[in-house]
Amino acid sequence: MKKFIITLLFSLIVSTEAFADLTFNQEKVVTTQTDQIRGINFKPDGTIMYVTERNGTTDNNIGRAANIIQYSLTTPFDISTAIETSNTRVEEEDGVNLAFLPHAIEFKPDGTRLFIIANSGTLVYQFDLSTPWDTSTITFSAKYNVTGESQLRTLTFKPDGKRMYVSGKQNHKLKEYILTNAWDITSSNVSVGAVSASLESADNNMRNVQFNSLGTELYVGGNQNNNMNKFTLSSAWDISTISSSFTAYSLSGDHSNMRGFIFAQKFSRLYVTDDIDGGANRVIEYVASCSFTVNCEDASKDTNVVALLEAQVELSKRIIRHNTLPIIHRIEWLRRHKNYDNLNNFQAEISFTNQRLSKLLDTIKPNAKRKKIKSDDDKWFKWNEGKIGVGKTNEKTGSLARNIHTTGFVIGADKKKNKDTMYGYAFQFGTDNVDLKTSSSGIFAKSYSLSMYGTKLRENHIFSDGLIGISRIDLDLEREENTNILEGKRKGEQIFSTLNIGKRINTENLNFNPNIKFDLGYTRLHEFKETNGFGTTTDVLLFKQHEILTGLGTASMIVDKTIKHYKDRIINHSGRLEYVVDFSPDSDANFYYVNDPSTEFSKNIDLDTEHNIRVGYGFDVISITGWSFIGNFERFFTIDNGYINEIYLSAGYTPTESIDYAMSIENNQVVLNYKRAFSGIDVKMSTNYNMLSHIPEYGATINVVSKF
């Protein structure tokens, strides 16, 4: 009965967590470089790894030689990419080998000084590096004698360098040493501080210790049980307040003889050194779950997370604008040219290989010439427009600035109901690239939209335009966290509508179009979960469904003028000035770490984009011989919060028997083709632009064929 009570009490003091908190990822065998590996550390950026070792060579009959082996990592913190770059003997100025049983290795944050302890005695050694982080350039600087111990095993520092903590095999206690001058263990600069209670209950053969970044937790590891053990401190960095109980984290038997360890990359990874007598020497890498340490920070305050959430809300509004504007451009063009029966302004052959776009539209063959209306015509008029945009949003507190690149393509067809009324349909495809500055995070979005629209000219030249549409949105997201890239795919749907009311005022020189427009939209982004390259849940977030309401009000003045009216062509110029009020309500994004679903975070997304200005210039040239060109340049900018510049273009040719022109989309490429016959010689020209590629792709060909 007594034994049962003791066992029960011990189980209350010590709890062992599932090894999922520390998951094995990979190992690096280093037996060819050392047969007795000990301590380990990294350069903060993860590009260099250091291990201490003792080998079989004896120096001056004092024991096995001590060395520091330095590895270069082509991928930060990825030990599989480690390549040995130097192996440096640890010596005093007189060439005497010291620290012949080396253990822990620590660096000053700037890499100009390192510290090593020796299991052979009670000394802490200090070395200076003439080249920061290059251990081949070390020179002996100082040493400090730790009394009351027989073999030193562990070494760590407070981040400011004014506290040094050492423990040994004899007492199993952590001792504090106060440094008057940071990172300097010259004897005159050191005084003894606090002493902890015994840590033997966690491991009676400690190999290293490490504090978390706040000094509120202490991790202890050794080769008695090869676990990772966590103690808490009631007062940060005060080792006299270390708790008597601890939590033991199993490392799942992935190693058998721990010689050292280090947490790196903001405690997201644990590296353990392991040697087996007569066997392999290894560095073993574990991935730490976010719930493992206090560094599982509030994700709602992560600048990458916030910026990506803001970018998705911006994206939903941008898709609405990009779906609306080409149709508004078309309607404005119709009002300028409503007295002509051929209202086709673009010829396009559509042969989409994308399943979503296939079977969309047959080859458009407009009438050869434009002429004045003689009667109402019951036919459909086809049109197209392409768009390219670049812009940015400014950086603000708690978020990151963003670069924006957009492309789009719209295909439409409309029909006259009567001389004052037209209606039509439009299909749009767009891409949106958002790259976060100072980060590898970003979004690549594709949207597919279908709209129905109409316009009516009423009495006194008052007009009203309206449209309603739906969109499908596909998002590819990347988020950088602790130099890892977390990926996710998110889908969404959108419904939007626009009402535009204005008046066309015709004068001898200029035509004025004052109008008021309202855009409304609802976007639903589905729940999605990130993934990382480890196949673990480290840093992985699950984002719950996000609903976004959009409301935009626009007051604008559009001015246009026909400045030339030649026998064979019409040229129109137009300008616009718009004030856009964004009255969209805030939206809440909710998310949590996959390994800690009980802690849910919420972020209120307020883009602070209430006041916006759009300015633009456009022109169109239309020839009765068959060709046309339409262009619009617009700049949309939010006061103090960024801008986007956009170019909208349409160009086409009404073919004759000897001339053939077409625009097609084949294999995700926009292709322009032109063919003409000259006295038995066929000239063919073709250009292409890949609108879906992250990296722009262009091409052009010219073929000349003679017929005999």
Side-chain angles (χ1 to χ4, degrees):
M1 182 66 178
K2 182 177 181 181
K3 182 177 180 181
F4 172 78
I5 294 174
I6 293 174
T7 302
L8 179 62
L9 289 173
F10 186 78
S11 66
L12 294 174
I13 294 174
V14 181
S15 62
T16 301
E17 301 290 333
F19 63 83
D21 291 289
L22 292 165
T23 307
F24 173 85
N25 186 49
Q26 62 178 329
E27 67 175 41
K28 174 76 172 181
V29 177
V30 293
T31 306
T32 57
Q33 292 93 47
T34 176
D35 61 351
Q36 295 197 33
I37 193 171
R38 289 299 183 263
I40 184 171
N41 212 322
F42 286 84
K43 185 181 179 182
D45 65 4
T47 59
I48 303 177
M49 179 177 72
Y50 311 88
V51 299
T52 59
E53 64 117 9
R54 60 174 188 172
N55 59 38
T57 304
T58 60
D59 283 355
N60 300 325
N61 297 317
I62 62 172
R64 289 172 176 171
N67 297 285
I68 302 173
I69 305 174
Q70 179 173 308
Y71 298 83
S72 174
L73 283 69
T74 55
T75 301
F77 297 104
D78 184 354
I79 58 175
S80 68
T81 67
I83 301 173
E84 181 184 354
T85 55
S86 67
N87 191 323
T88 304
R89 184 66 51 86
V90 182
E91 297 177 332
E92 290 192 45
E93 293 179 349
D94 60 1
V96 175
N97 180 257
L98 48 88
F100 56 89
L101 295 177
H103 262 68
I105 176 172
E106 292 287 329
F107 286 85
K108 186 179 179 182
D110 63 2
T112 61
R113 181 165 289 176
L114 69 82
F115 305 85
I116 290 178
I117 59 169
N119 190 23
S120 60
T122 60
L123 293 173
V124 180
Y125 297 93
Q126 175 177 299
F127 297 86
D128 291 330
L129 290 78
S130 58
T131 301
W133 305 108
D134 184 356
T135 55
S136 67
T137 67
I138 62 171
T139 56
F140 175 77
S141 172
K143 55 187 176 184
Y144 182 80
N145 187 25
V146 176
T147 60
E149 285 289 354
S150 59
Q151 295 182 18
L152 299 185
R153 291 288 182 82
T154 75
L155 173 67
T156 192
F157 288 82
K158 189 179 178 182
D160 62 6
K162 292 191 172 184
R163 295 288 189 275
M164 179 176 69
Y165 304 90
V166 180
S167 67
K169 187 178 181 180
Q170 181 175 336
N171 297 314
H172 309 287
K173 297 179 180 181
L174 197 62
K175 295 183 178 181
E176 177 190 62
Y177 296 88
I178 303 170
L179 309 183
T180 304
N181 298 319
W183 305 102
D184 184 3
I185 64 170
T186 305
S187 298
S188 60
N189 190 46
V190 181
S191 59
V192 180
V195 179
S196 75
S198 176
L199 305 177
E200 187 176 7
S201 57
D203 201 294
N204 66 11
N205 198 15
M206 291 188 295
R207 293 294 179 171
N208 205 14
V209 299
Q210 187 176 353
F211 290 95
N212 70 353
S213 59
L214 302 178
T216 57
E217 295 177 349
L218 176 71
Y219 295 89
V220 177
N223 62 346
Q224 176 198 7
N225 52 39
N226 293 292
N227 287 336
M228 188 54 57
N229 308 287
K230 180 176 72 175
F231 293 85
T232 60
L233 289 76
S234 58
S235 180
W237 305 106
D238 184 355
I239 59 177
S240 66
T241 68
I242 294 177
S243 61
S244 59
S245 62
F246 64 94
T247 302
Y249 294 87
S250 171
L251 297 182
S252 186
D254 296 308
H255 66 276
S256 60
N257 198 16
M258 180 189 293
R259 295 298 190 175
F261 75 84
I262 189 75
F263 282 99
Q265 207 175 7
K266 297 181 179 179
F267 269 75
S268 67
R269 300 192 195 183
L270 168 66
Y271 300 87
V272 174
T273 56
D274 179 61
D275 78 343
I276 304 172
D277 291 339
N281 279 245
R282 304 176 296 169
V283 179
I284 304 168
E285 177 186 308
Y286 298 86
V287 178
S289 69
C290 186
S291 59
F292 179 74
T293 75
V294 296
N295 287 290
C296 183
E297 300 173 348
D298 184 347
S300 66
K301 298 180 180 177
D302 186 303
T303 56
N304 275 302
V305 172
V306 174
L308 288 173
L309 289 171
E310 291 178 346
Q312 291 172 72
V313 175
E314 293 169 344
L315 181 74
S316 69
K317 297 181 180 182
R318 199 156 52 246
I319 290 174
I320 292 175
R321 293 201 307 267
H322 291 171
N323 284 331
T324 301
L325 286 176
I327 295 175
I328 295 298
H329 293 159
R330 170 63 175 175
I331 292 174
E332 292 171 354
W333 189 89
L334 288 173
R335 274 196 285 270
R336 292 195 297 269
H337 301 279
K338 71 183 187 71
N339 293 324
Y340 294 87
D341 71 341
N342 180 14
L343 298 177
N344 299 290
N345 73 321
F346 199 70
Q347 185 199 354
E349 180 179 299
I350 309 300
S351 58
F352 293 108
T353 57
N354 189 311
Q355 286 185 349
R356 294 189 179 96
L357 307 179
S358 63
K359 301 179 182 180
L360 180 65
L361 198 63
D362 294 329
T363 301
I364 301 168
K365 297 181 178 180
N367 295 334
K369 293 187 178 183
R370 298 167 50 84
K371 55 184 179 294
K372 291 284 186 176
I373 288 178
K374 296 180 179 180
S375 63
D376 291 339
D377 228 340
D378 187 23
K379 61 184 176 183
W380 289 92
F381 302 103
K382 291 84 173 181
W383 61 278
N384 262 333
E385 188 169 83
K387 170 186 66 71
I388 298 175
V390 295
K392 70 172 186 177
T393 60
N394 298 328
E395 186 171 355
K396 59 182 182 180
T397 303
S399 183
L400 297 176
R402 299 174 284 280
N403 290 322
I404 303 166
H405 304 269
T406 68
T407 62
F409 189 75
V410 57
I411 304 164
D414 41 46
K415 181 179 181 180
K416 292 180 181 179
K417 185 176 181 180
N418 53 57
K419 67 177 183 178
D420 294 321
T421 305
M422 292 194 71
Y423 66 94
Y425 303 90
F427 172 83
Q428 300 194 53
F429 172 73
T431 66
D432 212 303
N433 268 313
V434 181
D435 297 316
L436 273 60
K437 291 186 176 181
T438 69
S439 172
S440 297
S441 306
I443 301 173
F444 178 67
K446 293 182 289 187
S447 62
Y448 309 83
S449 307
L450 183 65
S451 306
M452 179 176 67
Y453 62 91
T455 180
K456 182 177 179 62
L457 182 62
R458 305 177 186 275
E459 294 181 358
N460 299 319
H461 300 285
I462 295 175
F463 58 83
S464 60
D465 312 322
L467 69 90
I468 186 170
I470 57 174
S471 296
R472 160 76 180 271
I473 305 172
D474 294 332
L475 303 176
D476 292 329
L477 300 104
E478 293 185 347
R479 179 170 67 90
E480 183 183 20
E481 188 67 28
N482 296 322
T483 72
N484 298 325
I485 300 296
L486 296 103
E487 299 177 338
K489 294 183 179 295
R490 191 171 207 178
K491 298 186 180 297
E493 300 89 26
Q494 185 181 78
I495 183 171
F496 55 91
S497 64
T498 295
L499 176 64
N500 184 42
I501 301 174
K503 182 179 177 72
R504 184 166 175 84
I505 304 171
N506 299 315
T507 69
E508 183 177 351
N509 297 315
L510 294 173
N511 302 309
F512 298 90
N513 297 263
N515 63 284
I516 299 175
K517 181 164 68 77
F518 296 96
D519 298 300
L520 301 175
Y522 167 76
T523 306
R524 179 178 64 191
L525 300 178
H526 296 184
E527 177 180 288
F528 84 102
K529 183 178 72 172
E530 298 173 320
T531 60
N532 62 24
F534 305 125
T536 69
T537 58
T538 302
D539 297 322
V540 170
L541 289 170
L542 185 146
F543 293 83
K544 302 178 74 173
Q545 179 173 290
H546 189 184
E547 297 180 349
I548 305 164
L549 296 176
T550 300
L552 304 172
T554 303
S556 68
M557 173 61 72
I558 302 171
V559 181
D560 64 84
K561 180 181 181 180
T562 302
I563 62 169
K564 293 183 180 180
H565 193 172
Y566 295 106
K567 182 169 70 173
D568 64 341
R569 65 185 182 273
I570 302 169
I571 303 176
N572 287 277
H573 292 260
S574 63
R576 72 174 62 240
L577 175 63
E578 297 181 348
Y579 171 65
V580 183
V581 178
D582 187 347
F583 54 88
S584 309
D586 300 346
S587 62
D588 292 326
N590 299 293
F591 42 97
Y592 57 83
Y593 288 103
V594 172
N595 54 40
D596 187 17
S598 62
T599 305
E600 185 170 300
F601 306 98
S602 182
K603 180 64 180 178
N604 180 262
I605 307 300
D606 180 8
L607 298 177
D608 192 25
T609 56
E610 182 178 358
H611 304 289
N612 309 271
I613 300 293
R614 178 187 288 115
V615 296
Y617 164 75
F619 69 92
D620 60 74
V621 183
I622 301 176
S623 171
I624 63 172
T625 60
W627 62 270
S628 63
F629 186 81
I630 303 171
N632 283 282
F633 170 80
E634 296 178 358
R635 180 181 180 95
F636 181 92
F637 57 94
T638 301
I639 299 176
D640 298 326
N641 201 42
Y643 68 90
I644 184 167
N645 295 324
E646 296 169 328
I647 298 176
Y648 298 83
L649 297 173
S650 292
Y653 196 92
T654 304
T656 65
E657 292 183 356
S658 61
I659 301 174
D660 187 20
Y661 173 90
M663 185 181 118
S664 64
I665 295 184
E666 304 170 358
N667 297 317
N668 296 325
Q669 291 187 332
V670 178
V671 181
L672 301 175
N673 295 293
Y674 174 84
K675 181 176 77 174
R676 182 162 187 169
F678 300 94
S679 303
I681 299 176
D682 288 343
V683 179
K684 297 180 180 180
M685 293 183 290
S686 177
T687 65
N688 68 276
Y689 167 67
N690 193 327
M691 63 188 293
L692 297 184
S693 175
H694 290 272
I695 302 174
E697 299 178 11
Y698 308 91
T701 59
I702 299 176
N703 294 318
V704 180
V705 180
S706 179
K707 297 180 180 179
F708 297 93

